[in-house]
Amino acid sequence: MARFYDVELGSRLMLGTAQYPSPAVLAAAFRASGAGVATVSLRREGGGSRAGEDFWRIIRELGVRVLPNTAGCHSVREAVTTAEMAREVFGTPWIKLEVIGNTDTLQPDPFALVEAARILLADGFEVFPYTTEDLVVAGRLVDAGCRVLMPWGAPIGSGLGLVNPYGLRALRARFPDVALVVDAGLGLPSHAAAAMEMGYDAVLLNTAVARAGDPVTMARAFARAIEAGALAAGADPMPARDMAAASTPEIGRAFLE
Amino acid sequence: MRIVLNGETREVRAGRLDAALAELGYRGATVATAVNGGFVPAAARPATPIADGDRVEVLAPRQGG
């Protein structure tokens, strides 16, 4: 079981709800994935439209927890206001805090992220900050009160996987008691398995499933990879070494020259 | 008066946010609101005045990653 603030979840997969070919495929992918959390957003609604309500009904029927995001926000004020609006609409203190600092890489602005996290935590939010693997920024977020950190694997939507495994391992080692979720950049189930093998608590992904040719099968593949990676992490993996070490005993080997 | 609703200029007669929302087709909708960049909770809409030139944002649930 993984714990996120005071909530224990059996599933270690958080799945996004964007970019699916249809609402039916979205729902089928969620069922196949076993995801325990769905990420959602807020966007402008036209007068007379009920698109938001229709979408919200689909998500509620999934029976999973929702994690609203502040995607697209570039300033502390935007992110805080969006979080406040999301808490009212979705009825949860959880917020995936994104404060974007670069439009090419969509990487977080760590300075604004820490400031926004402080404001939201003081207001009762349970903040899931989308951050980098930087140890110092992570420390500031934990000092501010974050009990979950969500470092990127790679830029959002890139599918590159874990581009800095050293940094992600260092983060895991430095913060053994903080829930860590690799968020963004995963493209393949093997990327998710690698994150879990490092001892991460969960992964959050969207595009890798939604943009696959067969999202439902890919969702199932991620579910199995995450389960395998988590099992492996709990089984105390052997240390890697540079030189060969024979596994078959030397004792009793025949001399046949 | 004219307000800027979700980035578009609109004419409204109502002087309070809840009435303006009803006038603009949002009656009963699942939305969150902000005026001039500040969150306005649903319970505060009846007491929130709307003035000429105000920027009103009306947001609803959407897909997200």
Side-chain angles (χ1 to χ4, degrees), chain A residues 17 39 41 43-45 69 88, chain B residues 26 42 57 60 62-65:
Chain A
T17 57
T39 54
S41 74
R43 287 293 179 265
R44 286 170 166 173
E45 182 88 315
N69 68 29
E88 181 179 85
Chain B
Y26 293 104
E57 292 286 332
R62 283 291 188 281
Q63 296 81 357

Side-chain angles (χ1 to χ4, degrees), chain A residues 42 56 68 81-93 125, chain B residues 29-34 39-45 59:
Chain A
L42 284 177
W56 188 211
T81 300
T82 302
E84 291 169 331
M85 296 171 87
R87 180 166 61 178
E88 181 179 85
V89 166
F90 294 111
T92 173
F125 281 89
Chain B
T30 302
V31 293
T33 52
F39 171 53
V40 179
R45 289 175 195 157
L59 308 186

Side-chain angles (χ1 to χ4, degrees), chain A residues 17 22-24 26-27 30 51-64, chain B residues 63:
Chain A
T17 57
S22 70
L26 181 157
F30 262 84
E53 242 161 77
D54 293 343
F55 170 72
W56 188 211
R57 188 176 313 113
I58 292 167
I59 299 305
R60 283 200 306 267
E61 286 170 0
L62 296 175
V64 299
Chain B
Q63 296 81 357

Side-chain angles (χ1 to χ4, degrees), chain A residues 106-120:
Chain A
L106 297 180
Q107 70 189 88
D109 175 338
F111 310 99
L113 181 68
V114 172
E115 189 182 340
R118 283 200 189 107
I119 294 168
L120 292 171

Side-chain angles (χ1 to χ4, degrees), chain A residues 223-239:
Chain A
R224 292 183 183 181
I226 291 163
E227 184 186 0
L231 280 172
D236 190 15
M238 64 167 278

